[in-house]
Amino acid sequence: MRTILLLPFLVFSYIANAQSLPADKQATRETVNLYHNLQKLRQKGCMFGHQDDLAYGVHWKYVEGNSDLFEVTGDYPAVYGWELGGLELDSSKNLDAVPFDKMRLFIRQGYARGGVITISWHFTNPLTGKSAWDVGPGAVASILPGAAQHALYKSWLQKLAAFFVSLRGEHGEAIPVIFRPFHELNGNWFWWGKKWCTPNELQQLYRFTATYLRDSLQVHQLLYAFNTDRFANEAEYLERYPGDEWVDVIGFDIYQRNNNNAQFLQDADQMLTLLEKIANERNKLPALTEFGYGTLPDSTWWTSTLLPALHRHAISYALAWRNAGKSPQGRYEYYVPFKGEASAGNFLQFYKDPRTLFQKDITHEKLYAR
Ligand code: BMA
């Protein structure tokens, strides 16, 4: 009798649980916990992320414990972005000169503090051997199963897998990573971009990549992010989407490129509305996978423009791009304030807003625990 009464409940909870597993049904415990906790956390606020935060800032490189954000707020970001471009060539440094050995340690530090790790991959064009920006037709098709460069692509994924698997926490557990391959795929500036392959080819590539990492290489610490650049509507966003069973996080990248804050706010708001709708319908985590207003020409941008956009939505995280500093050509590139930078005071207000989440906010959330 009791069994009979319990049965529908058990079946129901089994289904509910199965539905809420990430794309990798064999994901490690920490990865599944992260996935569930992030679903809840987005109702509380939006985690602030920063690319390469611990490696360098506008005026420093590789100073232990340093971070431009830390110098401004006394706190680290909640999300740490890293980049693997170059790993496929056995380079000891990525395309932005970050040594992979150091990156591994930074990833461990961020994770040990309870932070979230996300990784992008600006990888080599497999047809030409040149950079990710070396565009042209045929590169995606060339690495699909059965095609000429497929074996090469598999060898690259093996190197990625070895790096992922080498990321271990204090107890030897695999560090969960939000992996964001083929980013900005509706743009034409990367070889996997819209103009250079069909939707079907991109989808095949995405599915093969996840399947190979997961089933052949036994990497079970990844949440998969699907990510476009700016987009006009739902149909454009989903044109190259590989399918719900392959994706955990959905996002887009957006940069402000002129001084029209109102326009940026309107654009961001519109896209975030669409993203949230798509995410809610499909039970995915919505994220602003990259954003920035290069060199921050408006000292009040954080509270006048970005914060209002974030306040209107329940977005998991927003990742600011890297504080590269001064290039050899003398051009500056940075997206978060550093000590003494004009928007630092305003950023502090943004930091104090209850709906922006930084390291201290999420350490006690214990995102990797049940
Ligand atoms: C771009 C710039 C480049 C960098 C690339 C990959 O947006 O920051 O300098 O090489 O990202 O990180």
Side-chain angles (χ1 to χ4, degrees), residues 21-255:
L21 281 174
D24 180 357
K25 305 300 170 218
Q26 290 181 59
T28 64
R29 199 175 47 189
E30 288 77 12
T31 310
V32 173
N33 291 344
L34 174 68
Y35 179 69
H36 289 158
N37 288 329
L38 289 183
Q39 303 269 18
K40 286 183 230 144
L41 189 63
R42 83 177 173 101
Q43 303 307 332
K44 269 195 199 170
C46 178
M47 296 187 290
F48 192 89
H50 188 210
Q51 184 77 359
D52 285 351
D53 187 79
L54 303 174
Y56 54 81
V58 172
H59 297 300
W60 58 276
K61 270 188 172 52
Y62 308 110
V63 178
E64 182 58 31
N66 221 13
S67 147
D68 278 347
L69 275 183
F70 190 88
E71 290 200 346
V72 169
T73 63
D75 201 357
Y76 294 104
V79 177
Y80 300 86
W82 300 100
E83 160 64 37
L84 295 184
L87 192 69
E88 70 281 4
L89 303 178
D90 286 323
S91 172
S92 63
K93 296 172 175 180
N94 80 357
L95 77 170
D96 299 321
V98 180
F100 290 112
D101 280 352
K102 282 198 161 55
M103 192 188 295
R104 189 180 289 112
L105 296 175
F106 292 137
I107 288 174
R108 208 174 277 168
Q109 279 176 13
Y111 170 74
R113 286 195 277 259
V116 175
I117 311 301
T118 180
I119 288 187
S120 53
W121 190 24
H122 289 72
F123 67 122
T124 306
N125 180 322
L127 267 190
T128 66
K130 294 188 185 155
S131 81
W133 293 269
D134 189 41
V135 296
V140 167
S142 81
I143 54 176
L144 292 176
Q149 302 298 84
H150 184 61
L152 176 72
Y153 184 55
K154 285 209 293 198
S155 74
W156 289 358
L157 290 179
Q158 288 160 19
K159 291 170 196 184
L160 245 64
F163 183 81
F164 287 137
V165 167
S166 76
L167 302 173
R168 299 271 161 185
E170 216 186 310
H171 307 291
E173 76 280 20
I175 298 179
V177 169
I178 298 175
F179 180 43
R180 183 168 71 97
F182 321 118
H183 66 294
E184 301 177 357
L185 52 77
N186 62 335
N188 296 321
W189 44 89
F190 297 125
W191 57 259
W192 56 83
K194 184 171 177 154
K195 211 167 158 182
W196 316 115
C197 59
T198 66
N200 186 262
E201 284 166 348
L202 195 284
Q203 288 162 337
Q204 278 188 57
L205 180 60
Y206 200 107
R207 292 174 195 152
F208 170 77
T209 304
T211 307
Y212 190 62
L213 285 169
R214 183 189 67 194
D215 301 341
S216 301
L217 303 175
Q218 298 295 318
V219 179
H220 293 299
Q221 72 216 86
L222 302 181
L223 296 177
Y224 287 88
F226 169 83
N227 146 233
T228 67
D229 197 67
R230 286 173 178 250
F231 61 101
N233 51 49
E234 197 170 330
E236 185 190 348
Y237 187 84
L238 293 173
E239 192 202 34
R240 284 153 197 259
Y241 182 67
D244 288 342
E245 63 273 45
W246 303 94
V247 173
D248 301 302
V249 173
I250 61 169
F252 66 94
D253 295 2
I254 186 170
Y255 287 86

Side-chain angles (χ1 to χ4, degrees), residues 306-323:
L306 186 64
L307 195 56
L310 296 180
H311 270 170
R312 293 178 200 169
H313 305 279
I315 299 299
S316 179
Y317 66 89
L319 180 89
W321 203 240
R322 64 196 199 104
N323 274 18

Side-chain angles (χ1 to χ4, degrees), residues 46 228-233 237 251-258 260-277 286-293 301-302 304-315 317-318:
C46 178
T228 67
D229 197 67
R230 286 173 178 250
F231 61 101
N233 51 49
Y237 187 84
F252 66 94
D253 295 2
I254 186 170
Y255 287 86
Q256 182 167 334
R257 303 214 189 262
N258 59 38
N260 193 340
N261 288 1
Q263 186 67 53
F264 178 84
L265 177 53
Q266 192 187 316
D267 293 350
D269 187 31
Q270 195 185 329
M271 285 176 245
L272 288 170
T273 303
L274 286 171
L275 186 76
E276 236 184 326
K277 174 177 175 281
L288 205 50
T289 35
E290 269 182 48
F291 77 90
Y293 187 12
W301 187 74
W302 299 102
S304 75
T305 308
L306 186 64
L307 195 56
L310 296 180
H311 270 170
R312 293 178 200 169
H313 305 279
I315 299 299
Y317 66 89

Side-chain angles (χ1 to χ4, degrees), residues 303 307 344-353 356:
T303 58
L307 195 56
N346 185 249
F347 190 85
L348 213 47
Q349 269 174 267
F350 174 86
Y351 170 77
K352 286 178 184 152
D353 186 277
T356 59

